[in-house]
Amino acid sequence: MNIRNIMAKATAAVELMYDKTATIERFEEYVKPSGADGTRWAKVHTDIPCRLSSSTLNNAVQGDANVIQYDVKLFLSSDFKVLAGDVVTVDGVKYESAKEPFVYVSHQEVLLIRKGYA
């Protein structure tokens, strides 16, 4: 038995920790009814079991607004393709995929950024 087989068996254990669901949207090209090319946000995956983990919190003041920006790590199955720039919605909160994911045999980790105002 090699390490990849052992890690594949660990997938079920990792997935027991998933307590949320996510929707992934991607900016895609399409053809408008007029025949012109266009781009729009399209859902590529819905109701994906996942887990969130907060990593960094930064607060800054820009003018009169208190800007909130924090980084989050998303854990999900490695069966789903996530690209940098994808919009990930978890529990009604929208995040942006900051980089390409770290893909492992048992799961993948995606660094997300949430920006908002307080």
Side-chain angles (χ1 to χ4, degrees):
M1 181 175 285
N2 65 29
I3 189 68
R4 291 191 69 77
N5 291 339
I6 294 170
M7 291 301 293
K9 290 181 180 179
T11 300
V14 170
E15 290 178 350
L16 286 174
M17 295 188 304
Y18 297 162
D19 58 350
K20 300 183 182 302
T21 58
T23 299
I24 299 175
E25 296 176 82
R26 187 169 297 142
F27 213 53
E28 293 185 338
E29 294 181 1
Y30 76 106
V31 178
K32 296 179 181 180
S34 65
D37 292 335
T39 53
R40 64 180 169 197
W41 287 102
K43 290 182 182 177
V44 291
H45 303 294
T46 57
D47 296 326
I48 302 168
C50 65
R51 183 167 183 92
L52 286 179
S53 172
S54 297
S55 59
T56 325
L57 173 64
N58 299 317
N59 284 344
V61 176
Q62 287 183 350
D64 293 334
N66 184 19
V67 179
I68 299 173
Q69 178 178 350
Y70 61 89
D71 299 335
V72 174
K73 192 180 290 186
L74 177 73
F75 298 86
L76 68 154
S77 170
S78 55
D79 295 336
F80 301 98
K81 185 169 184 166
V82 182
L83 302 176
D86 283 355
V87 171
V88 180
T89 305
V90 180
D91 290 344
V93 180
K94 289 194 175 200
Y95 302 90
E96 182 179 341
S97 174
K99 299 180 179 181
E100 294 291 324
F102 299 99
V103 181
Y104 303 100
V105 175
S106 59
H107 68 287
Q108 65 179 313
E109 299 175 13
V110 183
L111 298 176
L112 304 175
I113 297 173
R114 177 174 185 229
K115 297 179 182 177
Y117 297 97

